[in-house]
C-alpha cells in the first residue's frame, strides 16, 4: 500500500506526537488500536492510556476491537510481553476508553469536592435534559407572555411562512435550547443602534413608489406587472389599515420580513415596455433596488431582535440551571465545563492527571469542539503550570489524534 510507511510510523514511532488525517474507511481506528497494542507491548500499562472517541457506539466498538487485537497479540507473544497483554486484557473493562463525556464524568466523580459538584450527581442525557429544559421553558413562557418584553413581543407578531412550520412559541423554545447549549459563551450580544421607526417609514415610501407604477401597467397579465400589482395591493391594504388604527411598528416589521420572502421579487415578465414610455427593464431595476433595501432592513431588524431576545432569554437559562441543580443532574455541557474548570483551575489535580495518563489517543477528532480540545491539551501539556491550552505544548509522543474533516458532523 502507498501509505504503508505512514501506517508503520503510527505503530512504531511511539515517541512522536502524531496527527493523522485520512478519508473514511481507510483504517484510522484500526491504526489507533494498533498503536495502543504497540504501547502495551512496549510496557505502557493500559491504566496510563486515555483513548477517546465521539459516540458511545464508537467507544464500544473501539473496546471490542482492542480486545480482539490484544488477544491476537498475546497469542504471538512470549515472556514479559505475554504478561503485559494478559494484564491489559484483565484491565480492559476499567480502562479509560470511552467518550470525552464519560471521561469527564469519571474525573468529576473522582474529585467532586475540588470540582464543586454533587458527589452523587447523575448525568442528564438527551431526554432528561430536554425534559428539564421544557419544564423551565413552560414556566418562563407562561410568565413572559403575560407581559412580554420587547423581543418576545416582536417575535410573537411574526407569522410562520408555511402552514406546518413551527409556531413562534416553538421558535422561542428552540432559540432558548440552543442558547442553553452554548451558555458557556456568556457575553451579551452586540446591539447596534437601529432606528426602526425611521427605517420602516423610508421603506414604506420606497414600496409606495413602486406600487404607484401598477396603475400604469399596459399588460396586467405580464409577470412584471403582476409583481408590482402585488406590492400595490399590499400597500393599499396598509394605507387602509393605518388610516383606521395608525402605525403598528411591530406588525409592520413582521410583515416586511414576510414580504421580503415573497416569490414576487423573482417574477420577470417579458416585452420591452411596462407602460408607454416606461421600459420593463427600468421597472425591474427599481424593483431590485427596493428588494435590496427590504433585505437590508430585514437583516438589521433580525440582528436587533436576536440581540434583544438573547438578553430576554437569560432568566430561562438560569432557571434551567436551577432545575438541574435541584435534580442533582449535570448535562453534557456541564460535564465538559466542570471538568475543564477542574483541570484548568486546580493545579494539583491537573498535575496528578497529567502524570497518571502518559498517552492520549483521540479518534474522530473532527468532531472535537474547542472545549474538549482544551481538556485534552491541558492533560497532554508538558508544563504542569500552564493553564492556557492555546499555549500548552504536548509532551512529545503523548498525543495521537486521528480524524477526517470531511466526516465532521
Ligand atoms: N491496512 C488495512 N488493510 C486492509 N483493510 C484494512 C486495513 N486497515 C483497516 N482495514 C479495514 O477497513 C475497514 C475500515 O477500517 P477503520 O474502521 O479502521 O477505518 P476508519 O478510517 O476508522 O473509518 P471511519 O472513517 O469510518 O472512522 C475495516 O473493516 C478494517 O478492518
Ligand atoms: Mg474510525
Amino acid at each position: 500500500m502507498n501509505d504503508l510507511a505512514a501506517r508503520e510510523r503510527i505503530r512504531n514511532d511511539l515517541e512522536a506526537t502524531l496527527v493523522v488525517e485520512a478519508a473514511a474507511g481507510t483504517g484510522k481506528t484500526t491504526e489507533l488500536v494498533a498503536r495502543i497494542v504497540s504501547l502495551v507491548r512496549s510496557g505502557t500499562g493500559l491504566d496510563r492510556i486515555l483513548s477517546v472517541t465521539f459516540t458511545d457506539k464508537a467507544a464500544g466498538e473501539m473496546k471490542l476491537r482492542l480486545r480482539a487485537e490484544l488477544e491476537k497479540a498475546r497469542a504471538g507473544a512470549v515472556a514479559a510481553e505475554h504478561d503485559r497483554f494478559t494484564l491489559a486484557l484483565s484491565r480492559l473493562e476499567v480502562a479509560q476508553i470511552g467518550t470525552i463525556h464519560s471521561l469527564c464524568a469519571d474525573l468529576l466523580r473522582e474529585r467532586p469536592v475540588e470540582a464543586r459538584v454533587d458527589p452523587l450527581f447523575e448525568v442528564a442525557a438527551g431526554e432528561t435534559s430536554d425534559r428539564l429544559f421544557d419544564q423551565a421553558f413552560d414556566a418562563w413562557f407562561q410568565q413572559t407572555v403575560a407581559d412580554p418584553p420587547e423581543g418576545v413581543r416582536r417575535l410573537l407578531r411574526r407569522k410562520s411562512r408555511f402552514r406546518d412550520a413551527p409556531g413562534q412559541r416553538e421558535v422561542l423554545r428552540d432559540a432558548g435550547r440552543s442558547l442553553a447549549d452554548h451558555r458557556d459563551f456568556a457575553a451579551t450580544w452586540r446591539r447596534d443602534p437601529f432606528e426602526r421607526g425611521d427605517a420602516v417609514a423610508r421603506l414604506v415610501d420606497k414600496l409606495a413608489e413602486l406600487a404607484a407604477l401598477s396603475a400604469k401597467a399596459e399588460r396586467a397579465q405580464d409577470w412584471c406587472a403582476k409583481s408590482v400589482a402585488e406590492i400595490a395591493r399590499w400597500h393599499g391594504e396598509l394605507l387602509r389599515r393605518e388610516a383606521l388604527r395608525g402605525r403598528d411598528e411591530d406588525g409592520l416589521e413582521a410583515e416586511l420580513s414576510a414580504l421580503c420572502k415573497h416569490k414576487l421579487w423573482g417574477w420577470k415578465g417579458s416585452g420591452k415596455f411596462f407602460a408607454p414610455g416606461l421600459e420593463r427593464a427600468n421597472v425591474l431595476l427599481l424593483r431590485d433596488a427596493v428588494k435590496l433595501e427590504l433585505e437590508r432592513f430585514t437583516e438589521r431588524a433580525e440582528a436587533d431582535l436576536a440581540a434583544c431576545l438573547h438578553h430576554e432569554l437569560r432568566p430561562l437559562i438560569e432557571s434551567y440551571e436551577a432545575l438541574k441543580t435541584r435534580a442533582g443532574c449535570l448535562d453534557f455541557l456541564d460535564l465538559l465545563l466542570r471538568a475543564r474548570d477542574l483541570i484548568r483551575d486546580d493545579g494539583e489535580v491537573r498535575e496528578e492527571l497529567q502524570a497518571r495518563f502518559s498517552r492520549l489517543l483521540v479518534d474522530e477528532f473532527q468532531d472535537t469542539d474547542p472545549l474538549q480540545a482544551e481538556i485534552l491539551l491541558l492533560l497532554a501539556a508538558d508544563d504542569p503550570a500552564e493553564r492556557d491550552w492555546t499555549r500548552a505544548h504536548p509532551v512529545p509522543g503523548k498525543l495521537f489524534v486521528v480524524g477526517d474533516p470531511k466526516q465532521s458532523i
Side-chain angles (χ1 to χ4, degrees), residues 180-392:
D181 289 339
H182 297 90
R183 62 186 178 275
D184 47 325
F185 296 91
T188 52
W189 288 1
R190 198 180 79 209
R191 196 171 175 195
D192 294 336
F194 176 49
E195 300 295 337
R196 188 178 62 163
D198 295 350
V200 166
R202 267 199 312 275
L203 200 50
V204 170
D205 286 349
K206 293 261 181 212
L207 285 159
E209 209 182 302
L210 193 57
L213 296 179
S214 181
K216 299 188 190 161
E218 253 176 351
R219 293 165 293 130
Q221 287 316 303
D222 182 68
W223 284 98
C224 177
K226 278 190 190 176
S227 76
V228 175
E230 195 72 28
I231 291 166
R233 201 171 50 78
W234 175 84
H235 184 248
E237 268 175 34
L238 179 71
L239 288 181
R240 277 190 292 283
R241 218 170 351 150
E242 293 196 335
L244 289 174
R245 281 175 272 161
R247 178 145 292 181
D248 162 18
E249 257 183 39
D250 287 348
L252 205 45
E253 175 189 341
E255 259 185 72
L256 288 170
S257 139
L259 183 63
C260 188
K261 291 174 190 133
H262 198 290
K263 290 194 294 286
L264 69 88
W265 304 101
W267 299 346
K268 293 223 157 49
S270 58
K272 190 167 166 69
F273 286 98
F274 178 88
L278 177 58
E279 287 186 21
R280 193 174 53 90
N282 289 332
V283 175
L284 290 181
L285 275 180
L286 177 66
R287 197 185 72 184
D288 286 349
V290 174
K291 171 77 190 325
L292 196 63
E293 295 250 343
L294 188 57
E295 276 168 5
R296 284 209 189 111
F297 170 82
T298 307
E299 217 168 83
R300 291 189 61 196
E302 282 174 6
D304 184 67
L305 179 57
C308 184
L309 280 171
H310 181 255
H311 175 72
E312 290 170 12
L313 285 164
R314 224 33 261 168
L316 165 63
I317 309 302
E318 278 155 23
S319 97
Y320 170 59
E321 297 271 64
L323 280 179
K324 266 187 302 155
T325 308
R326 215 176 313 152
C329 287
L330 298 181
D331 70 8
F332 279 177
L333 182 58
D334 289 321
L335 293 177
L336 297 174
L337 288 173
R338 305 297 185 103
R340 189 274 314 268
D341 292 351
L342 174 68
I343 295 165
R344 185 191 57 190
D345 301 337
D346 192 317
E348 184 254 321
V349 169
R350 188 169 60 244
E351 198 167 348
E352 192 270 317
L353 292 172
Q354 285 169 344
R356 186 190 316 170
F357 297 116
S358 61
R359 301 290 182 159
L360 267 61
L361 299 97
V362 188
D363 200 358
E364 310 284 1
F365 187 71
Q366 74 278 358
D367 293 325
T368 303
D369 70 21
L371 193 53
Q372 300 169 4
E374 181 173 7
I375 292 170
L376 295 167
L377 267 156
L378 286 174
L379 290 178
D382 58 1
D383 176 7
E386 185 56 72
R387 301 178 64 232
D388 179 353
W389 69 289
T390 61
R391 283 199 303 230

Side-chain angles (χ1 to χ4, degrees), residues 1 7 23-31 65 364 407:
M1 253 183 290
R7 289 177 196 261
T26 47
K28 294 182 295 299
T29 306
T30 306
E31 297 305 332
R65 284 161 85 163
E364 310 284 1
Q407 290 179 65

Side-chain angles (χ1 to χ4, degrees), residues 132-141 144 172-180 309-323:
L132 289 172
F133 180 81
D134 285 344
Q135 205 180 325
F137 180 79
D138 289 344
W140 174 85
F141 189 73
T144 306
L172 260 182
R173 200 202 85 95
D174 292 349
R177 179 77 242 200
S178 124
L179 213 51
L309 280 171
H310 181 255
H311 175 72
E312 290 170 12
L313 285 164
R314 224 33 261 168
L316 165 63
I317 309 302
E318 278 155 23
S319 97
Y320 170 59
E321 297 271 64
L323 280 179

